Amino acid sequence: MAGGTVSFRYFVLGLLAQRSMSGYDIKRFLKSLSWLIGSPSFGSLYPALHALLKDELVTVKVAPRKGKPPRKIYSITETGRQTLKEWMNQPLTPRAPLKAFAMRLILADNFSYAGLIAHLQQRRDQVAAHHAALEQTTKGGHGKAPLGHHLALDYGSALAIAELAWLDSTLNRLSQSSQQPLPIEVVQSDSTVPTV
Amino acid sequence: MAGGTVSFRYFVLGLLAQRSMSGYDIKRFLKSLSWLIGSPSFGSLYPALHALLKDELVTVKVAPRKGKPPRKIYSITETGRQTLKEWMNQPLTPRAPLKAFAMRLILADNFSYAGLIAHLQQRRDQVAAHHAALEQTTKGGHGKAPLGHHLALDYGSALAIAELAWLDSTLNRLSQSSQQPLPIEVVQSDSTVPTV
DNA sequence: AAGCGCATGTAAAAGGTTACATGATTAC
DNA sequence: GTAATCATGTAACCTTTTACATGCGCTT
């Protein structure tokens, strides 16, 4: 429950903090980046929405459309924003899957500027640690390991290096708020507080 | 059940095909590459072993060690090898997580040479498709998307490109069996056939 | 003597997928 | 008319984690 739980429920809450949506809208959005975080089924999406509603973190507004089945538009509440903030500020456990990091990355707008930097930095540290562990394992099993182990270690290493490179370049880009080579907008710090 | 099921159970079976081990041995091994495939708890590992035993895909040999609690060494059976082969030959579904691919990569020795190439090629196609989808999404939401979406899309793209590069270089290396720049052993074709 | 690493296991709870159920509109 | 897309939801099933339970040997 506590700690860096993946908690799909809170991720959905975070999406609703960006804009009010129906369950179907959320599904469609998740499908577009399913590679990063997977695309959960309705069987887990709708119950998640119902749970958020029960805890009063979101509200619903039924929007009937002549003839068609009505859409249920979910919106985040103030309590919801507060809860989301608390969840976002919990550090991820060292062995949290890539998915957990990606989820928070998508919700980056809910971070303060410093929070986002800290989050990326934390991930950098963890990936570096994992990478070091892989290198260690590679050196440990000298020659006698089966082909598959070599391949997996090499694969993991390549991905870790690529992720580190991305994290470094992104941290760099964010630190220098002077120019943005990529189509990145002005960094927002909070929904209410102006900026640093 | 069918299709490219991740099925931790079969993965464990595959590890036992490489060498006989106890549950604790398996845990230790998995911990070393937890970044790729996670490190499941004993609460799922032991039941998996019991299930394999019940299906007669593995056998146990209790190895008592004077005073110490006895270790249970699991070994794969012929039926087990057969079942494993069938499982390995099922193609992974397009939306199988990275974890599923990595699991089979670790078990690469159970593939035939052609099977391994096909598996890598298949992954290459899928990653390429996902990458194309991400690019499409990036072009779709022109400018109006929140910072987090940009970051996530960019992150996913960077990882996809790195994975494609690794897959290409590995496919290349495997195709040219003349020289091996990396510490890779001679490719085995079958479990029973000696080796070249 | 306290704590840690080895070594195995079970039970409750949480979370997820699959399959089912419903029903309207739009495209072929 | 038949299939696909939109749109919501429930129930059975499977898997996984978490927490508990046990007990030896070594080190501090």
Side-chain angles (χ1 to χ4, degrees), chain A:
Chain A
M1 241 173 250
T5 316
V6 173
S7 232
F8 175 59
R9 190 144 74 240
Y10 289 113
F11 176 59
V12 169
L13 182 62
L15 292 179
L16 292 175
Q18 298 184 334
R19 69 179 177 95
S20 298
M21 287 187 281
S22 71
Y24 209 85
D25 288 334
I26 293 172
K27 186 83 205 296
R28 206 184 302 122
F29 173 70
L30 293 183
K31 210 173 160 187
S32 74
L33 16 90
S34 61
W35 195 47
L36 257 354
I37 52 172
S39 190
S41 62
F42 284 118
S44 72
L45 178 54
Y46 285 123
L49 250 11
H50 298 332
L52 289 175
L53 196 60
K54 200 194 65 192
D55 291 347
E56 299 185 59
L57 304 178
V58 298
T59 55
V60 221
K61 202 172 186 181
V62 181
R65 296 159 307 150
K66 42 184 174 180
K68 294 184 188 179
R71 304 176 81 230
K72 291 190 175 182
I73 309 297
Y74 291 86
S75 304
I76 193 166
T77 62
E78 257 320 300
T79 320
R81 264 179 219 284
Q82 183 93 33
T83 305
L84 176 63
K85 208 168 194 171
E86 281 160 28
W87 178 69
M88 296 278 290
N89 284 339
Q90 296 182 278
L92 291 176
T93 64
R95 58 211 175 297
L98 189 144
K99 190 179 159 184
F101 171 71
M103 279 185 175
R104 294 202 182 183
L105 195 58
I106 293 165
L107 303 182
D109 303 86
N110 295 102
F111 276 122
S112 64
Y113 177 78
L116 176 57
I117 297 287
H119 194 238
L120 292 169
Q121 190 62 56
Q122 185 190 242
R123 175 73 184 177
R124 212 219 97 97
D125 292 344
Q126 289 175 358
V127 174
H130 281 302
H131 183 236
L134 284 180
E135 292 295 309
Q136 197 60 31
T137 306
T138 304
K139 268 183 288 188
H142 40 278
K144 56 179 173 171
L147 170 67
H149 296 199
H150 278 297
L151 287 176
L153 254 11
D154 194 44
Y155 175 70
S157 191
L159 292 186
I161 289 170
E163 185 166 355
L164 286 173
W166 184 84
L167 288 166
D168 285 335
S169 103
T170 301
L171 277 164
N172 242 301
R173 246 188 295 136
L174 290 178
S175 299
Q176 304 163 346
S177 47
S178 52
Q179 53 182 39
Q180 302 95 332
L182 272 197
I184 282 182
E185 284 135 13
V186 178
V187 177
Q188 298 169 8
S189 67
D190 201 293
S191 51
T192 51
V193 180
T195 319
V196 181

Side-chain angles (χ1 to χ4, degrees), chain B residues 67-138:
Chain B
K68 294 183 191 178
R71 304 177 80 232
K72 293 190 173 180
I73 309 296
Y74 292 87
S75 305
I76 194 166
T77 62
E78 256 321 300
T79 320
R81 267 181 216 283
Q82 184 91 33
T83 305
L84 176 63
K85 207 166 194 169
E86 281 160 25
W87 178 69
M88 296 277 292
N89 284 338
Q90 297 182 275
L92 292 175
T93 63
R95 61 210 173 299
L98 187 145
K99 190 177 160 182
F101 171 71
M103 280 185 174
R104 295 204 181 178
L105 195 57
I106 292 166
L107 304 182
D109 304 84
N110 295 101
F111 277 121
S112 64
Y113 176 79
L116 177 56
I117 297 287
H119 193 237
L120 292 170
Q121 190 62 58
Q122 186 191 240
R123 174 74 184 174
R124 212 218 97 97
D125 293 344
Q126 288 174 359
V127 175
H130 282 300
H131 184 234
L134 284 181
E135 293 294 311
Q136 197 60 32
T137 306
T138 304

Side-chain angles (χ1 to χ4, degrees), chain A residues 143-147 150, chain B residues 109 180 182-188:
Chain A
K144 56 179 173 171
L147 170 67
H150 278 297
Chain B
D109 304 84
Q180 303 94 333
L182 270 198
I184 284 182
E185 282 135 14
V186 178
V187 176
Q188 297 170 12

Side-chain angles (χ1 to χ4, degrees), chain B residues 16 22 27 60 108:
Chain B
L16 292 174
S22 70
K27 187 83 207 293
V60 220

Side-chain angles (χ1 to χ4, degrees), chain B residues 7-50:
Chain B
S7 232
F8 176 59
R9 187 143 76 238
Y10 289 113
F11 176 58
V12 169
L13 183 62
L15 292 178
L16 292 174
Q18 298 184 333
R19 71 181 176 95
S20 297
M21 287 187 280
S22 70
Y24 210 84
D25 288 334
I26 294 172
K27 187 83 207 293
R28 205 184 302 122
F29 173 71
L30 293 184
K31 212 173 157 185
S32 74
L33 17 88
S34 61
W35 195 47
L36 257 354
I37 52 172
S39 189
S41 63
F42 285 119
S44 72
L45 178 53
Y46 285 123
L49 250 11
H50 299 331

